[in-house]
Amino acid sequence: MDADSLVRQGGRPPIRPGGGEGQVFAREMWGERDFRSCFRYLRQYALPPNTTIGAYKRDQIEDVFFISSGNGTLTINGEELPVRPGDIVFAGLGETRHIAGPTGEASAELVLWNVGVAMDFDVDEAADCA
């Protein structure tokens, strides 16, 4: 799945709470209205070469990232983790997250899935981002 495919299937440039560089695309598969639990979202991101989602922290939502294709870097609380297809990375409450796609124009984009689970039903995702 590449960024062009995501756009054709309803993807959009995501809101990036930490800022970042370049044009990243996202598609939300499920949202908080789809579940009665504290599940918040299942999203797919496509980061072309030289793009990032800037650093942000969540105090009430835990994230799991699953790498489906490409290579890049996830930084959790300052620990830089090179990632490749099949890797799964967890970011807990209060931990800072930063995502970087591949570097260099010839690189394949980084495609990942992100699952978010909140501490409570009343967590506002936008307000939880610092």
Side-chain angles (χ1 to χ4, degrees), residues 9-24:
Q9 296 178 24
R12 59 172 174 73
I15 296 169
R16 292 190 278 184
E21 300 296 324
Q23 190 169 22
V24 176

Side-chain angles (χ1 to χ4, degrees), residues 15-116:
I15 296 169
R16 292 190 278 184
E21 300 296 324
Q23 190 169 22
V24 176
F25 291 90
R27 174 174 55 170
E28 186 163 294
M29 308 303 288
W30 292 318
E32 62 186 79
R33 291 178 197 90
D34 298 318
F35 293 85
R36 294 187 315 187
S37 67
C38 294
F39 176 89
R40 282 296 173 258
Y41 47 79
L42 169 62
R43 296 182 179 140
Q44 182 182 36
Y45 290 93
L47 285 81
N50 306 308
T51 60
T52 64
I53 295 175
Y56 64 98
K57 181 174 79 162
R58 293 202 182 281
D59 291 324
Q60 299 182 57
I61 298 176
E62 297 175 315
D63 283 310
V64 175
F65 302 94
F66 173 75
I67 311 307
S68 59
S69 66
N71 296 296
T73 305
L74 268 70
T75 303
I76 308 298
N77 261 2
E79 183 180 352
E80 197 170 289
L81 306 165
V83 294
R84 62 178 194 242
D87 287 348
I88 297 172
V89 177
F90 174 78
L93 301 176
E95 295 184 324
T96 303
R97 300 107 157 103
H98 176 266
I99 305 168
T103 56
E105 296 303 317
S107 301
E109 67 189 0
L110 173 64
V111 178
L112 59 93
W113 291 88
N114 175 210
V115 174

